[in-house]
Amino acid sequence: MDFFPVFFDIRGKDCLVVGGGEVAARKVSLLLQAGGKVTVVAPVLSATLALWAEKKDIIHRAERFSPDTLGESILIIAATDDMEVNREVSQFASARRIPVNVVDNPALCTFIVPSIIDRSPVVVAVSTGGAAPVLARLIRARLETLIPSAYGRLATLTARFRDQVKAQFLAPEKRRIFWEHILQGPVAEMVYSGQDQAAEAALVRELSGDIDKTKPQGEVYLVGGGPGNPDLLTFRALRLMQQADVVVYDHLVSPAVLDLARRDAERIYVGKERSNHTMRQEAINDLLVRLAQEGKRVLRLKGGDPFIFGRGGEEIETLSEHGVRFQVVPGITAASGVSSYAGIPLTHRDYAQSCVFVTGHLKDGSINLDWNGIARENQTIVIYMGLQGLAVLCQELIKHGLKPSTPAAIVQQGTTHNQRVITGTLATLSNQAEAAQMKPPTLIIVGEVVKLHDKLAWFHPGQYEEGSIIPSFVEHN
Ligand code: SAH
């Protein structure tokens, strides 16, 4: 180890920054966050620093650095672009045994500043000893994605109960077990999902011993898995996917996304393709309740967003009726993911000021939609589940006032490496889709914005050849 890692308490203490540019400003910002009393020595200040000086967040001494400036500082940072000044600061500070950091110059430093992941009061610091600051930043970026942003709130909550827990569990071993249970269990989950009051109440119950430990505490995570490309998952989705005991998923979830669930989690396929209703909705609802009541952490993984044509609402209604805890994680819905990857903005100042999402699912061979509300000028229409009824959909839109020449697109398996986009008009799209043998899942976009595809298409996943690429969506039979 080239450096000894420590965390300084600088609250209310004098810290000196030499230099008035943006680099200095970044360091000043960190010092201020940690409660330091910051003096900046520089003939002129950058806009950011000038603002802070005006607000009296910092003290500005408009002069060049001189040894007298050191004053009572407990640490010093030199961030000027003048090597001579930096060296001078380093020398004088070292001579007076004041810790000194010269930005980007480890040789002149007695301490270095790490990359920081701030979940105050939890702080993670990463350092490569000055060898590769960019690497430290990359490591930091990875950690940022792994550590839930609510860790700080969780730590604050546990701090409030520390003494009480200490008094109640005299043996350190018992305390450790208690805290591990809290930090890895439902209390922590409640904090992560923003239910702080419920978390505190649960912690109090745990302490009072009111909880029946023989009754397992399951939970359901209703998670949106996005339109297929695993890059489009949220951090929270990924975290919950990796801690679930059992995964309940349907055909819209791509294997690449499913792959990210915990390796040893049990996987239950509950299907639902048009003609092949593997499990009725009521049975799925009951299954979720049963698994949670067995004490399992159940990941209900859905394509896109669970609250958009996903029947997620119905599933959690049943859970709530049975008193099963749940949390909902939004996902990128097909309309938004697929349109981005197809280069078709859903709104545009010149072409569309509104956008509607509708389902083209046929019921008894017909489609019941508010056609007059949908078929409007300057409005983009996104149709989910519309492949089978495509011909009827196009006819109805024309019948209700849209021009046959209105641009329209159909996108198959959008966002994945099997994405196919076909553009045409309301008059032609149905025949084109048939000729191209489009298969679900497909999304249909109607409106002038479709014209932008030619100019804005940016995602070119390679020519689609039937059978030549591993399909992103497996056919389940
Ligand atoms: N909850 C999902 C929608 C479920 S309905 C969401 O928010 O996206 C199923 C329909 O979504 C499919 O019939 C299709 O119209 C659309 N869909 C989902 N993923 C898609 C994809 N990758 N490409 C094209 N359409 C998709």
Side-chain angles (χ1 to χ4, degrees):
M1 216 170 9
D2 292 332
F3 289 85
F4 176 60
V6 290
F7 289 87
F8 256 112
D9 178 4
I10 61 167
R11 275 171 301 178
K13 305 203 177 103
D14 286 321
C15 304
L16 184 71
V17 175
V18 184
E22 282 307 318
V23 178
R26 284 201 290 277
K27 302 295 176 209
V28 169
S29 157
L30 287 175
L31 293 171
L32 289 176
Q33 281 173 50
K37 209 171 113 202
V38 183
T39 300
V40 175
V41 178
V44 278
L45 293 184
S46 74
T48 319
L49 285 171
L51 191 71
W52 292 338
E54 203 179 305
K55 289 198 308 188
K56 305 244 183 304
D57 290 340
I58 59 173
I59 301 159
H60 178 211
R61 294 179 60 168
E63 58 195 43
R64 265 186 66 92
F65 168 79
S66 82
D68 303 336
T69 328
L70 291 175
E72 296 298 308
S73 313
I74 60 144
L75 65 83
I76 299 180
I77 296 178
T80 76
D81 48 13
D82 184 331
M83 264 308 284
E84 268 320 299
V85 176
N86 286 349
R87 184 165 298 127
E88 218 181 313
V89 175
S90 169
Q91 274 167 6
F92 282 109
S94 304
R96 295 190 29 195
R97 300 276 189 272
I98 305 173
V100 60
N101 174 270
V102 177
V103 176
D104 284 340
N105 197 334
L108 295 181
C109 294
T110 60
F111 75 93
I112 52 177
V113 181
S115 271
I116 292 164
I117 298 110
D118 185 3
R119 304 282 189 274
S120 289
V122 179
V123 175
V124 181
V126 179
S127 163
T128 57
V134 176
L135 184 60
R137 280 205 288 278
L138 291 178
I139 295 171
R140 178 193 142 193
R142 300 196 78 163
L143 291 175
E144 289 278 10
T145 66
L146 288 178
I147 303 174
S149 57
Y151 257 37
R153 294 202 331 269
L154 182 61
T156 309
L157 176 69
T158 57
R160 284 216 308 280
F161 284 87
R162 234 181 104 168
D163 291 342
Q164 203 178 327
V165 171
K166 220 170 176 170
Q168 195 160 330
F169 302 98
L170 293 176
E173 182 63 9
K174 287 242 163 75
R175 280 206 295 276
R176 183 183 60 77
I177 294 170
F178 176 80
W179 280 127
E180 275 176 5
H181 167 68
I182 294 297
L183 296 174
Q184 293 172 6
V187 172
E189 272 313 320
M190 287 178 206
V191 174
Y192 299 154
S193 56
Q195 306 168 47
D196 293 37
Q197 282 177 359
E200 179 158 351
L203 182 48
V204 170
R205 273 204 309 280
E206 293 273 1
L207 269 172
S208 66
D210 272 359
I211 285 188
D212 181 359
K213 294 241 168 32
T214 56
K215 207 171 152 218
Q217 300 248 306
E219 187 179 6
V220 175
Y221 314 138
L222 179 60
V223 173
N229 187 327
D231 288 355
L232 298 178
L233 282 170
T234 61
F235 294 151
R236 190 156 144 228
L238 188 62
R239 189 175 59 74
L240 294 175
M241 286 169 76
Q242 293 187 347
Q243 73 181 31
D245 304 308
V246 46
V247 186
V248 179
Y249 68 102
D250 46 47
H251 75 284
L252 256 192
V253 174
S254 77
V257 169
L258 190 60
D259 222 31
L260 294 172
R262 210 176 90 197
R263 288 263 163 257
D264 55 347
E266 183 191 350
R267 286 163 164 71
I268 303 176
Y269 174 66
V270 292
K272 279 230 274 174
E273 269 147 305
R274 283 197 59 81
S275 49
N276 176 22
H277 277 229
T278 313
M279 198 183 265
R280 288 162 51 90
Q281 187 63 48
E282 295 73 28
I284 298 176
N285 301 351
D286 293 343
L287 173 72
L288 296 176
V289 171
R290 183 169 60 73
L291 290 168
Q293 283 175 342
E294 284 169 13
K296 299 202 168 102
R297 287 168 298 183
V298 186
L299 173 73
R300 174 64 175 119
L301 190 56
K302 297 208 154 246
D305 182 280
F307 279 3
I308 294 184
F309 303 128
R311 304 190 74 169
E314 296 166 45
E315 293 180 9
I316 57 176
E317 244 176 79
T318 314
L319 296 175
S320 132
E321 279 159 21
H322 286 79
V324 171
R325 274 188 310 111
F326 62 85
Q327 48 178 305
V328 186
V329 182
I332 292 188
T333 188
S336 144
V338 172
S339 64
S340 294
Y341 276 66
I344 302 173
L346 294 182
T347 64
H348 186 286
R349 282 221 304 208
D350 299 335
Y351 304 113
Q353 280 73 49
S354 64
C355 168
V356 288
F357 298 177
V358 300
T359 162
H361 192 72
L362 295 171
K363 252 192 192 153
D364 316 323
S366 66
I367 305 171
N368 282 330
L369 286 173
D370 165 23
W371 295 108
N372 289 325
I374 297 164
R376 287 204 173 142
E377 294 277 299
N378 301 320
Q379 174 162 277
T380 306
I381 310 162
V382 180
I383 306 166
Y384 288 68
M385 297 172 273
L387 182 60
Q388 231 203 15
L390 183 56
V392 183
L393 284 161
C394 293
Q395 280 159 19
E396 291 289 339
L397 289 173
I398 294 171
K399 214 159 87 191
H400 288 84
L402 289 189
K403 289 197 212 76
S405 61
T406 306
I410 179 161
V411 186
Q412 176 180 315
Q413 295 189 9
T415 77
T416 75
H417 271 270
N418 292 339
Q419 171 172 303
R420 298 165 76 199
V421 185
I422 292 178
T423 59
T425 65
L426 278 181
T428 63
L429 195 68
S430 174
N431 285 340
Q432 287 172 284
E434 203 173 319
Q437 299 186 345
M438 291 300 240
K439 293 194 184 64
T442 56
L443 194 78
I444 296 148
I445 305 174
V446 179
E448 296 297 321
V449 288
V450 170
K451 285 198 290 211
L452 295 162
H453 164 77
D454 289 342
K455 213 159 57 179
L456 302 184
W458 57 272
F459 179 62
H460 303 288
Q463 205 56 46
Y464 179 92
E465 280 174 52
E466 192 85 42
S468 68
I469 308 173
I470 305 162
S472 300
F473 292 86
V474 179
E475 302 276 334
H476 292 273
N477 294 311

